């Protein structure tokens, strides 16, 4: 179960973390959900797990966490009941039915989800968002053929959408139709070159078809667009698996168990420290780790985490003290010996570091990180051959250890084995064309070869890949100066000086294996590439084809050797496409990536505001709309969003000045007219609102929603004839609007046109038999116009379908009471009060039923309860009057008995 309610400090900490996570990182959302759950914020936790699953539907940890959060707290049942109640009252509430379908799908109830999305499509067959959700639900339950058909229909409706092409291609790929999937996915990345998901899947398709070069290029492009594809995820779980000794059952040495959150929060402080640490907030992380030790959380796990943080902060003495204690307790852990060696190495205790690295290797002869670090140590001691052997051993054990390959390339450069050095750098760039250190190294080799034009290009690639790389800026400056571009050299020197006031040479890198972040993190030791190295003769034969191949292969890293996407004209196009399809979490993540690619912040703010508004988070939406106006003052679309958000927050009075100013900037805009009309209604100016709605209806005569709103305003003004006319006009445009029929029935009741009211209610029920509010309206109309007994028959049928509908039970009680069946009325009312014991109407009518049964003391108690619940409520005065009468009758009967 979730923990106790969080303190204000905890809330501030979690909110701070929530604001800083990467919106596109499913693992970060999952981990934030775990923290929310621990602190008792169940609704927030569930929202984060759902976001993680939209970003990565295959994320089993988030799926498991969601199931625990739903079922352990009863939230799922409450949420489904809440959404069903919304649909009962407003049968055409698209958002409620959409959320109900998503809620079913999130827990694997795909048949129920399909039913809800098909109901939406029955009303709007061209709803692409519903088609995509329907396809996803059908695919999840294994019905790939039907899912493909849903995605195909979506593509027919919107053939230019990169998103629909991706989902259709994915469904075909899952069916084994790789050739057809390939053509769709290639079209998807041409339609939108920023679609990272399409590139990522395209890489798998190419791989299955044997086109490995294209697969590698597509993977590079996907990772460049969305770096989370290359990120090792460390996802927290709400399930804690432990053996009888209390150790984690996850793979790995006993000194490095995986973090899991136990039910009851056994690792609460540890996990909060982990969250801070993953974002680089080391002081906050250490504070939480100390609280973890004080709270009795896992001592060894916490000490190891603290040691790593001290090492990352270069507080070597503190780290060394902790590692010393840990290796005394766990002497066979290569990881701990390696990290102790790094502490000693950076402290200048080279002999002790050498011994520590050797112990790590003795514990695990294939521990690549220790081999790498031993190579760095021996390179610093001018033992070049031994260093080369160490780097090669590291790469044999772990061929993808980039730090070791870069160290090897740098050592080869020092020893003037230039072709081998260049080849090593090329191998790094083949896997990651954006590695700034590798491009800087290529540039250094080219300077040695006197190929300054090529060197300039390499250094430029380095600074493009990492604008904070001071070494690359300095080297680019020197090269530009050599080529006579003194203005460019001065510019680069200034940039370099802003980053680092002294020349920074290429350095060797030590590596440690962190528990939960990326598998390795480079730590720069106090040695650099200008150490004394053995000189090798200058006579060598250099293969210039290698150099040409580097630039030829890597010149256009984003292309897929067959798919040549055009430059993206609109960096927010993909995010806009996601919003149109109802994929809001994917849209939010894409907006964040687009901003980093240079999307205009004002437009990004507008789109984020729309995303939050669609989620129902109108406060967040309001902030985004106002931020957009900071970047673009007076932006009318942002003003419109602000007005809508304020109306949704029931702050319409606050919206009025902005609304009127916005209308001047958007003359003739239908949505602006509607928004201002709503603010005028809030401001008690229905006449002004009606004028704007008529203007909007004239501009968009085909929109029944405008006529429906116009009818409501006319009814508020008392012009029932005009209201009926507007409702009928709306129904002429779309006769399937159950809500409009229902509202028309209510208006006909006000006009005492009972036949027309009954026909309107019946029409609403014909369109939507589950429209409970319309069914109750019919029953109440029959009670008043025909007879209570006839209404009882209708209500019994309703309660057979919905046995716990409280409004139906209340109306049944009233009808039975009016029909003279007080005992049966009392039964219905008491059934209602078991679920809603403070329902004033039920309490009042219970008192009436008891009085008719001459149970006066009980009747008085029921009426007194009405007064206690709300002394100024609509039933309180009636209850006082009846209670006095009942007391008088009680005394009369008592005297008569005497």
């Amino acid at each position: 179960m979730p923990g106790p309610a969080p303190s204000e400090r905890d809330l501030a900490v979690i909110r701070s973390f929530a604001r800083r996570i990467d919106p596109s990182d499913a693992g970060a959302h999952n981990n934030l959900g775990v923290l929310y759950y621990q602190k008792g914020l169940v609704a927030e936790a569930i929202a984060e797990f759902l976001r993680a699953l939209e970003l990565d539907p295959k994320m089993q940890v988030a799926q498991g966490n969601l199931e625990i959060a739903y079922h352990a707290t009863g939230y799922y049942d409450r949420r489904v009941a809440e959404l069903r109640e919304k649909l009962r009252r407003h049968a055409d509430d698209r958002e409620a039915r959409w959320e109900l379908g998503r809620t079913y799908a999130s827990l694997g109830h795909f048949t129920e989800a399909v039913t809800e999305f098909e109901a939406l499509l029955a009303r709007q067959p061209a709803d692409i968002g519903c088609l995509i959700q329907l396809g996803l639900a059908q695919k999840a339950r294994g019905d790939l053929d039907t899912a493909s058909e849903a995605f195909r229909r979506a593509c027919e409706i919107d053939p230019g959408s990169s998103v629909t092409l991706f989902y259709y291609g994915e469904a075909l790929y899952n069916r084994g139709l790789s050739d057809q999937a390939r053509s769709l996915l290639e079209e998807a990345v041409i339609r939108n070159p920023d679609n990272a998901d399409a590139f990522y899947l395209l890489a798998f398709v190419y791989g299955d078809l044997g086109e490995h070069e294209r697969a590698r290029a597509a993977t590079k492009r996907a990772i460049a667009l969305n770096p989370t594809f290359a990120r090792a995820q460390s996802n927290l779980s709400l399930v804690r698996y432990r053996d009888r000794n209390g150790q984690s059952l996850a793979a790995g040495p006993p000194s490095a168990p995986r973090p899991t959150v136990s039910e009851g929060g056994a690792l609460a402080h540890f996990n909060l420290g982990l969250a801070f640490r993953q974002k680089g907030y080391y002081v906050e992380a250490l504070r939480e780790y100390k609280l973890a030790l004080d709270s009795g959380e896992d001592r060894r796990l916490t000490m190891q985490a603290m040691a790593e943080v001290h090492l990352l902060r270069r507080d070597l003495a503190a780290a060394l003290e902790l590692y010393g204690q840990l290796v005394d307790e766990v002497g066979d852990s290569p990881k701990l010996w390696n990290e102790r060696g790094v502490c000693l190495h950076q402290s200048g205790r080279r002999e002790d570091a050498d011994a520590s690295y050797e112990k790590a290797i003795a514990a695990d002869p294939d521990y690549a990180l220790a081999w790498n670090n031993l190579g760095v140590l021996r390179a610093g001691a001018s033992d070049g051959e031994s260093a080369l052997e160490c780097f090669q051993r590291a790469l044999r054990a772990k061929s993808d250890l980039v730090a070791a390959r870069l160290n090897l390339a740098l050592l080869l450069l020092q020893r003037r084995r230039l072709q081998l050095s260049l080849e090593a750098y090329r191998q790094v760039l083949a896997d990651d064309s954006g590695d700034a250190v590798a491009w800087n190294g290529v540039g250094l080799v080219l300077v040695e070869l006197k190929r300054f034009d090529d060197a300039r290009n390499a250094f430029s690639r380095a600074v493009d890949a990492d604008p904070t790389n001071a070494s690359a800026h300095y080297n680019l400056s020197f090269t530009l100066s050599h080529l006579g571009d003194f203005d460019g050299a001065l510019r680069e020197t200034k940039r370099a000086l802003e980053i680092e006031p002294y020349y920074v040479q290429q350095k060797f890198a030590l590596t440690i294996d962190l528990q939960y972040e990326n598998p390795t993190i480079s730590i720069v030791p106090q040695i650099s590439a200008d150490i004394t190295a053995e000189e090798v003769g200058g006579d060598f034969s250099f293969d210039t084809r290698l150099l040409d191949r580097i630039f030829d292969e890597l010149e256009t890293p984003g292309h897929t050797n067959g798919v040549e996407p055009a430059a993206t004209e609109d960096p927010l196009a993909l995010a806009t496409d996601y919003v149109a399809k109802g994929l809001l979490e994917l849209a939010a993540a894409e907006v964040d990536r687009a901003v980093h690619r240079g999307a205009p912040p004002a437009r990004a703010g507008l789109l984020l505001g729309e995303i939050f508004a669609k989620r129902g988070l109108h406060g967040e939406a309001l902030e985004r709309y106002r931020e957009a106006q900071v970047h673009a003052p007076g932006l009318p679309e942002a003003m419109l969003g602000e007005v809508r958000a304020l109306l949704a927050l029931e702050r319409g009075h606050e919206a009025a000045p902005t609304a009127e100013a916005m209308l001047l900037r958007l003359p003739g805009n239908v949505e602006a007219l509607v928004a201002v009309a709503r603010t005028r209604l809030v401001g008690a100016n229905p006449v002004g609102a009606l004028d704007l709605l008529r203007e909007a209806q004239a501009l968009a005569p085909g929109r029944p929603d405008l006529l429906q709103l116009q009818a409501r305003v006319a009814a508020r003004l008392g012009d029932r004839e005009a209201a009926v006319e507007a409702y009928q006009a709306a129904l002429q445009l779309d006769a399937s609007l159950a809500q409009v029929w229902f509202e028309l029935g209510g208006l006909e009741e006000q006009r005492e046109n009972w036949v027309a009211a009954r026909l309107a209610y019946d029409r609403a029920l014909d369109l939507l038999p589950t429209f409970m509010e319309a069914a109750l309206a019919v029953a109440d109309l029959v009670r008043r116009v025909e007879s209570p007994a006839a209404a009882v028959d209708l209500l019994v049928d309703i309660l057979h379908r919905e046995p716990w509908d409280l409004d139906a039970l209340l109306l049944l009680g009233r009808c039975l009471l009016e029909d003279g069946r007080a005992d049966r009325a009392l039964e219905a009312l008491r059934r209602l009060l078991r679920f809603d014991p403070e329902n004033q109407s039920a309490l009042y009518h219970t008192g009436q039923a008891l009085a008719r049964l001459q149970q006066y003391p009980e009747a008085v108690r029921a009426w007194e309860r009405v007064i206690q619940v709300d002394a100024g409520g609509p039933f309180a005065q009636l209850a006082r009057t009846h209670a006095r009468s009942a007391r008088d009758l009680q005394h009369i009967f008592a005297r008569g008995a005497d």
Side-chain angles (χ1 to χ4, degrees):
M1 293 297 293
S7 66
E8 282 302 316
R9 172 191 172 277
D10 287 342
L11 282 173
V13 166
I14 294 174
R15 286 170 185 152
S16 174
F17 178 61
R19 285 193 297 269
R20 297 170 181 175
I21 67 170
D22 180 354
S24 64
D25 188 340
H29 284 292
N30 172 74
N31 293 352
L32 179 59
V34 169
L35 296 178
Y36 277 140
Y37 187 86
Q38 280 189 305
K39 299 300 181 182
L41 304 172
V42 176
E44 292 83 351
I46 287 171
E48 292 301 323
F49 296 143
L50 287 170
R51 286 170 187 163
L53 285 169
E54 183 171 311
L55 292 168
D56 183 2
K58 301 179 182 67
M59 191 176 185
Q60 294 299 313
V61 170
Q63 183 70 52
N65 289 343
L66 180 64
E67 291 176 5
I68 291 172
Y70 263 147
H71 292 313
T73 63
Y75 187 92
Y76 176 79
D77 295 330
R78 291 195 301 272
R79 181 61 174 160
V80 169
E82 174 189 323
L83 291 169
R84 285 196 169 281
E85 175 65 14
K86 282 186 177 181
L87 290 171
R88 184 183 73 81
R89 295 191 175 279
H90 302 286
D92 57 352
D93 188 337
R94 179 191 183 278
E95 296 306 317
R97 195 171 297 281
W98 171 280
E99 286 301 320
L100 183 60
R102 291 286 303 276
T103 301
Y104 282 138
S106 67
L107 280 192
H109 301 165
F110 300 117
T111 300
E112 292 88 343
V114 166
T115 300
E116 299 303 329
F117 291 124
E118 286 179 339
L120 286 172
L121 287 166
R123 287 184 52 81
Q124 296 184 5
D127 188 330
I128 298 182
C130 284
L131 280 170
I132 288 177
Q133 292 298 326
L134 176 65
L136 291 172
Q138 289 166 332
K139 186 180 77 165
R141 68 176 181 177
D143 191 352
L144 293 176
D145 291 341
T146 311
S148 297
E149 177 60 22
F151 295 134
R152 186 194 62 77
R153 287 167 57 197
C155 285
E156 285 183 350
I157 296 168
D158 189 0
S161 169
S162 178
V163 173
T164 55
L165 288 164
F166 164 73
Y167 281 115
Y168 189 20
E170 183 183 43
L172 293 177
Y173 174 67
N174 290 333
R175 290 170 57 191
L177 304 174
S178 296
D179 285 322
Q180 296 177 45
R182 170 184 174 166
S183 63
L184 287 166
L185 293 169
E186 288 180 341
E187 179 66 19
V189 299
I190 289 172
R191 293 284 182 181
N192 196 312
D194 294 334
N195 193 333
D197 289 331
F199 273 110
Y200 197 61
L201 182 58
L202 191 55
F204 287 95
V205 174
Y206 283 145
D208 285 356
L209 295 173
E211 301 179 35
H212 301 297
E213 287 301 317
R214 289 183 175 179
R216 185 161 64 174
T219 301
K220 288 179 186 176
R221 175 65 174 168
I223 292 172
L225 289 168
N226 185 358
T228 60
F229 285 136
R231 189 177 301 160
Q233 301 290 355
S234 303
N235 302 316
L236 304 181
S237 170
L238 290 173
V239 182
R240 184 170 173 83
Y241 300 97
R242 300 184 72 83
D243 64 15
R244 61 187 179 185
N245 298 317
Q247 293 291 339
S248 164
L249 297 181
S255 58
R258 291 181 60 83
T260 52
V261 179
S262 66
E263 297 178 19
L267 289 178
H269 291 295
F270 176 86
N271 283 307
L272 191 52
L274 169 60
F276 281 125
R277 168 182 160 178
Q278 287 177 313
K279 294 300 174 183
Y281 308 136
Y282 296 136
V283 174
E284 293 87 345
L286 287 172
R287 182 178 64 240
E288 292 300 327
Y289 288 145
K290 288 175 182 176
L291 290 172
L293 290 176
D294 294 340
S295 302
E297 297 180 16
D298 192 311
R299 173 181 165 276
R300 185 182 298 164
L301 189 71
T302 304
M303 284 179 61
Q304 182 175 332
M306 291 178 72
E308 291 173 352
V309 172
H310 284 309
L311 180 52
L312 292 171
R313 295 182 69 203
R314 295 183 62 81
D315 186 352
L316 302 177
L320 195 55
E321 180 181 353
L322 289 170
Y323 279 122
Q325 296 178 46
L326 288 166
V327 296
D328 286 343
E329 296 177 16
V330 189
D332 59 349
S333 168
K335 169 180 166 51
L336 293 176
W337 281 112
N338 178 61
E339 288 163 24
R340 178 176 177 273
V342 170
C343 291
L344 294 165
H345 192 159
Q346 296 197 107
S347 299
R349 297 167 57 181
R350 294 178 177 275
E351 291 185 3
D352 293 335
D354 191 299
S356 197
Y357 293 145
E358 291 283 7
K359 288 195 175 184
I361 292 167
D364 181 359
D366 291 326
Y367 195 67
L369 305 186
W371 279 113
N372 173 75
N373 296 343
L374 189 59
V376 174
L377 184 71
R378 293 182 177 171
S382 300
D383 189 356
E385 288 303 321
S386 178
L388 284 173
E389 174 62 23
C390 289
F391 293 142
Q392 289 164 353
R393 287 291 300 271
L395 289 168
R396 284 199 294 272
K398 187 175 176 59
S399 61
D400 60 347
L401 185 55
V402 175
R405 196 168 298 282
L406 289 171
N407 286 337
L408 175 63
L410 180 57
L411 184 59
L412 290 166
L413 171 60
Q414 287 183 2
R415 297 169 63 78
R416 297 191 58 76
R417 299 182 184 179
L418 301 183
Q419 182 158 326
L420 292 176
S421 175
L422 196 61
E423 176 61 31
Y425 283 127
R426 191 197 68 81
Q427 290 179 36
V428 173
L429 291 170
D431 293 326
D432 181 5
S433 62
D435 192 299
V437 176
W439 279 117
N440 191 56
V442 169
L444 293 173
V445 173
L446 295 171
V447 167
E448 291 292 324
L449 295 170
K450 310 300 182 186
R451 297 186 60 158
F452 296 108
D453 284 325
D454 291 330
R456 175 189 57 197
N457 294 338
F459 291 134
S460 296
R461 294 292 291 269
V463 298
D464 286 342
D466 181 8
T468 65
N469 189 318
S471 176
H473 281 291
Y474 277 119
N475 292 330
L476 179 56
S477 171
F478 299 152
T479 305
L480 291 173
S481 178
H482 191 90
L483 292 170
D485 183 0
F486 300 110
D487 290 338
L490 180 60
R491 182 183 65 248
E492 292 303 322
T493 300
K494 287 180 178 179
R495 291 178 183 173
L497 289 170
E498 290 172 359
I499 301 167
E500 175 61 54
Y502 299 102
Y503 173 62
V504 181
Q505 293 184 327
Q506 190 107 316
K507 292 181 172 66
F508 289 103
L510 299 178
T511 49
I512 62 172
D513 181 5
L514 291 184
Q515 283 176 297
Y516 316 119
E517 288 88 343
N518 290 334
T520 61
I521 283 187
S522 294
I523 299 178
V524 178
Q526 298 299 317
I527 54 177
S528 60
D530 59 346
I531 59 175
T532 303
E534 178 184 347
E535 289 292 335
V536 178
D539 294 333
F540 58 87
S541 174
F542 186 81
D543 185 356
T544 58
R545 291 175 299 176
L546 172 62
L547 181 60
D548 295 335
R549 190 162 70 249
I550 289 178
F551 285 99
D552 288 343
E553 288 181 357
L554 303 173
E555 184 176 4
T556 53
H559 295 173
T560 58
N561 294 338
V563 180
E564 299 289 333
T568 308
E569 294 181 2
D570 180 3
L572 290 166
L574 183 59
T576 304
D577 201 357
Y578 279 135
V579 171
K581 307 304 183 292
L583 303 167
L584 301 182
E585 302 306 331
L586 291 171
E590 181 58 31
V591 170
D592 184 70
R593 290 193 289 268
V595 168
H596 285 90
R597 294 195 298 267
R603 285 196 55 223
L606 277 176
L607 200 52
L608 282 174
E610 183 180 352
I611 291 167
F612 280 116
K614 286 180 178 292
R615 287 182 189 161
L617 303 173
H618 299 290
E620 293 279 359
L622 179 61
E623 287 186 17
R624 299 312 185 280
Y625 289 130
R626 286 178 170 171
E627 287 174 5
Q629 293 179 73
V630 170
H631 293 289
L635 184 65
E637 293 82 2
M639 297 171 74
L640 176 58
E642 179 181 346
V643 170
R644 286 172 163 173
L646 288 169
L647 286 167
L649 293 168
E650 299 183 355
R651 293 160 56 184
H653 290 287
E654 184 181 338
T658 303
E660 298 295 341
M662 175 264 298
L663 190 58
L664 296 175
R665 293 175 177 271
L666 289 173
N669 183 291
V670 174
E671 298 305 327
L673 289 166
V674 172
V676 179
R678 291 181 182 277
T679 62
R680 289 183 180 180
L681 277 175
V682 172
N685 182 13
V687 174
L690 190 58
D691 290 340
L692 292 178
L693 287 172
R694 285 172 176 160
E695 182 182 347
Q697 198 275 326
L699 292 168
R703 284 184 51 174
D705 60 314
L706 298 181
L707 289 163
Q708 182 182 12
L709 185 56
Q710 185 177 326
R712 291 173 181 171
V713 177
R716 179 171 166 179
L717 287 168
D719 190 350
R720 293 174 180 168
E721 294 297 329
V724 169
E725 184 180 337
Y727 277 131
Q728 289 175 342
L731 291 168
Q732 285 178 358
L733 292 172
D734 186 352
S736 67
L737 297 173
Q739 185 68 30
V740 174
W741 282 109
F742 171 73
E743 291 177 16
L744 177 60
L747 189 60
E748 294 290 11
E749 274 201 72
Q750 293 177 26
R751 301 169 70 198
E752 298 185 359
N753 192 345
W754 312 121
V755 174
R758 177 67 185 268
L759 287 172
Y761 289 143
D762 285 343
R763 181 59 177 148
L765 287 168
D766 288 342
L767 290 167
L768 201 63
T770 59
F771 196 168
M772 185 63 68
E773 201 165 1
L776 292 176
V778 169
D780 193 41
L781 180 64
V782 168
R783 176 184 70 85
R784 289 181 285 111
V785 175
E786 297 181 24
S787 71
V792 167
D793 293 338
L794 292 175
L795 289 166
V796 168
D797 290 339
I798 291 171
L799 286 165
H800 276 211
R801 296 194 304 270
E802 296 283 347
W804 303 109
D805 188 281
L806 301 187
D807 291 335
L809 283 169
L810 176 61
L811 187 56
L812 177 63
R814 292 183 62 187
C815 290
L816 290 166
L817 197 58
E818 292 175 10
D819 196 44
R821 290 181 274 177
D823 54 342
R824 299 294 304 276
L826 187 61
E827 180 183 340
L829 293 166
R830 282 177 168 169
R831 183 176 170 187
L832 186 161
L833 288 169
R834 284 202 297 271
F835 294 93
D836 187 4
E838 295 187 351
N839 187 305
Q840 281 190 295
S841 181
L843 287 167
Y844 171 74
H845 288 100
T846 297
Q848 283 193 311
L850 289 166
R852 292 190 185 185
L853 294 170
Q854 297 185 3
Q855 299 178 26
Y856 296 112
E858 292 86 350
V860 169
R861 283 195 291 272
W863 285 322
E864 287 176 344
R865 182 62 182 147
V866 172
I867 299 166
Q868 290 172 2
V869 171
D870 186 358
F875 293 97
Q877 187 56 46
L878 290 171
R880 291 187 184 95
T881 302
H882 285 297
R884 283 194 297 268
S885 300
R887 292 189 190 98
D888 293 341
L889 288 170
Q890 186 178 352
H891 290 312
I892 291 170
F893 283 116
R895 284 197 299 269
D898 292 340

